[in-house]
Amino acid sequence: QKKHGDKLEFSQAPTTNVDIEMGNPAQPAPAFVPNAFKNAKHPIVCCFHFAFKIGALGMYLLGRYILPVSFVTTFIITVLFLAFDFWTVKNVTGRKLVGLRWWNEVKEDGSSEWVFESLEDQASVNPVDKNAFWLGLYGWPVIWSSFLILNVLSFDINYIILMCIAVVFSGSNVYGYFKCSKDQGQRMSELQGRFAQSAVQAVASRALG
């Protein structure tokens, strides 16, 4: 494996395993899957990509505006949903839907290193999977940021704290996956440049030979 601090990690041996997993043929979607995910390669994973988000948002709206639920109950349940969503997106849906993963690694000397992993063969990524993943990833912090602004305008300190937690959870995944996709693009450009250079050298050697 080849690791670089704050750079994309390219793992040669596990790459084949990821390709096999991403390359499995699409299975018929269960009846409970929404029509938007019927043509996805991983329809159930797409559902889980949004399930905890809906749970967190629903609990916040119910406790904040609709039902006579105490702030403590609303806070605890919403944060639990946010934590479940963060873990699911970071460790499951990113890898399954778009072949990306990120994590923070603590070294023996106590320093930390950000590691980013990317599937090199993006042709195996299903378009429905990809669209569902990026829509949920980028739309999530936008929603919570909007509620944060509303609570700031209403000077509700308790819910401002809750909104800040939600923005941090969702923003962390946005940053991690943005770095994955960005570094992956740089890596693909490097590979294309090397391939073009090798092709030119091969043609030149034949011509001179």
Side-chain angles (χ1 to χ4, degrees), residues 47-183:
C47 290
F48 273 101
H49 187 61
F50 289 93
F52 294 120
K53 293 178 173 62
I54 295 173
L57 184 60
M59 186 61 217
Y60 166 71
L61 293 175
L62 288 174
R64 180 77 167 90
Y65 300 106
I66 301 175
L67 298 179
V69 181
S70 68
F71 167 75
V72 174
T73 301
T74 302
F75 183 93
I76 292 175
I77 298 178
T78 302
V79 170
L80 285 176
F81 274 120
L82 290 170
F84 291 151
D85 176 71
F86 173 81
W87 186 91
T88 302
V89 173
K90 178 179 177 294
N91 296 294
V92 180
T93 63
R95 177 172 56 86
K96 288 282 189 178
L97 299 181
V98 292
L100 300 175
R101 189 172 62 163
W102 66 274
W103 67 93
N104 184 268
E105 204 170 73
V106 179
K107 298 182 178 180
E108 294 181 358
D109 59 3
S111 63
S112 62
E113 179 183 43
W114 290 96
V115 183
F116 303 97
E117 184 180 74
S118 172
L119 178 71
E120 294 189 17
D121 182 18
Q122 286 293 308
S124 61
V125 176
N126 181 276
V128 178
D129 288 353
K130 180 172 66 174
N131 292 335
F133 176 80
W134 292 114
L135 176 63
L137 184 74
Y138 285 122
W140 195 224
V142 172
I143 293 174
W144 289 117
S145 297
S146 301
F147 283 115
L148 174 61
I149 294 173
L150 292 176
N151 283 286
V152 169
L153 295 176
S154 63
F155 300 103
D156 194 322
I157 300 300
N158 289 332
Y159 281 102
I160 288 176
I161 295 174
L162 178 58
M163 295 302 99
C164 289
I165 294 174
V167 171
V168 169
F169 270 123
S170 57
S172 298
N173 269 328
V174 168
Y175 174 79
Y177 283 113
F178 174 78
K179 289 292 294 182
C180 284
S181 58
K182 179 182 177 181
D183 288 350

